[in-house]
Amino acid sequence: MRRAIYPGSFDPVTNGHLDIIERGCKLFDEIIIGILVNPDKQPLFTVEERQEMLNEVVNGINKGNCTLRVDSFSGLLVKYAVAQQADVIVRGIRAISDYEYELQMALMNRRLEPGIETVFMMPAETYSYVSSRLVKEVFHLGGVITGLVPPLIEKRMKEKLNQA
Ligand code: PNS
């Protein structure tokens, strides 16, 4: 039984994240999508909204026999992973520029918890430039984000903008 944690901010979830989850499902029996509760950041969506949206959109992906669970956590990722009895942390790497930061985190996490392995996965090239940060920026400036996030997320972003 291989249980992995896929941690992140997911503010909001993009098609790149979903691509990684789908690929991860080929490797793991269970993936816990862990949303970081970060009091230092001013997110677009609350943790509850992100959790609800993730739950909806992962329903539509091809997960085979893999069990997906959406959860949130605060504090150290490795402590959360141990508490969840996961032995793998999954992180997506889009370009070399991601690698330096991801390597630092992976090595720090290994030092803190040697029993947990970090697995880097590459999304489809189509999503190699897609990030939640850029999606939000483009959206707020009136650009088209169709195809970069699931339709439900685009809808929720429009609703958010109208509420503001
Ligand atoms: O989607 P993000 O913002 O790139 O995800 C970053 C995340 C959540 C993986 C990272 O910030 C994290 O693990 N935070 C938890 C706190 C922690 O464990 N810090 C030490 C990391 S070496």
Side-chain angles (χ1 to χ4, degrees):
M1 163 74 184
R2 284 260 170 236
R3 180 179 292 138
I5 304 276
Y6 181 40
S9 306
F10 304 103
D11 185 39
V13 58
T14 68
N15 284 341
H17 291 126
L18 294 179
D19 183 87
I20 294 288
I21 296 169
E22 228 173 58
R23 287 170 200 280
C25 278
K26 295 183 197 158
L27 301 180
F28 306 107
D29 302 302
E30 182 174 347
I31 300 177
I32 301 171
I33 302 159
I35 307 169
L36 174 69
V37 180
N38 187 351
D40 300 335
K41 268 195 187 172
Q42 190 59 259
L44 177 62
F45 293 101
T46 65
V47 170
E48 293 73 24
E49 286 170 332
R50 281 177 268 165
Q51 191 158 351
E52 186 233 303
M53 291 189 292
L54 265 159
N55 266 318
E56 278 207 42
V57 296
V58 296
N59 266 331
I61 69 169
N62 183 8
K63 54 178 182 284
N65 291 325
C66 176
T67 304
L68 291 177
R69 188 147 57 87
V70 184
D71 192 19
S72 60
F73 74 100
S74 51
L76 273 185
L77 170 61
V78 285
K79 277 199 180 172
Y80 172 67
V82 169
Q84 296 296 319
Q85 296 178 307
D87 35 28
V88 171
I89 293 168
V90 170
R91 290 288 289 169
I93 293 210
R94 291 161 298 194
I96 289 290
S97 49
D98 284 339
Y99 179 72
E100 261 184 68
Y101 173 59
E102 293 297 333
L103 178 70
Q104 270 189 329
M105 280 207 297
L107 294 180
M108 182 61 84
N109 284 335
R110 182 187 281 169
R111 182 194 159 96
L112 294 170
E113 205 52 68
I116 295 181
E117 290 297 335
T118 297
V119 170
F120 291 148
M121 300 194 70
M122 285 79 67
E125 310 87 90
T126 342
Y127 305 124
S128 60
Y129 60 93
V130 179
S131 68
S132 301
R133 186 185 61 79
L134 264 189
V135 163
K136 282 184 285 193
E137 185 175 322
V138 169
F139 180 78
H140 279 124
L141 297 173
V144 176
I145 56 161
T146 309
L148 305 180
V149 295
L152 170 89
I153 305 299
E154 198 178 343
K155 184 169 161 265
R156 292 291 161 85
M157 288 179 78
K158 282 183 185 148
E159 286 166 6
K160 259 292 164 201
L161 197 71
N162 290 338
Q163 280 167 17

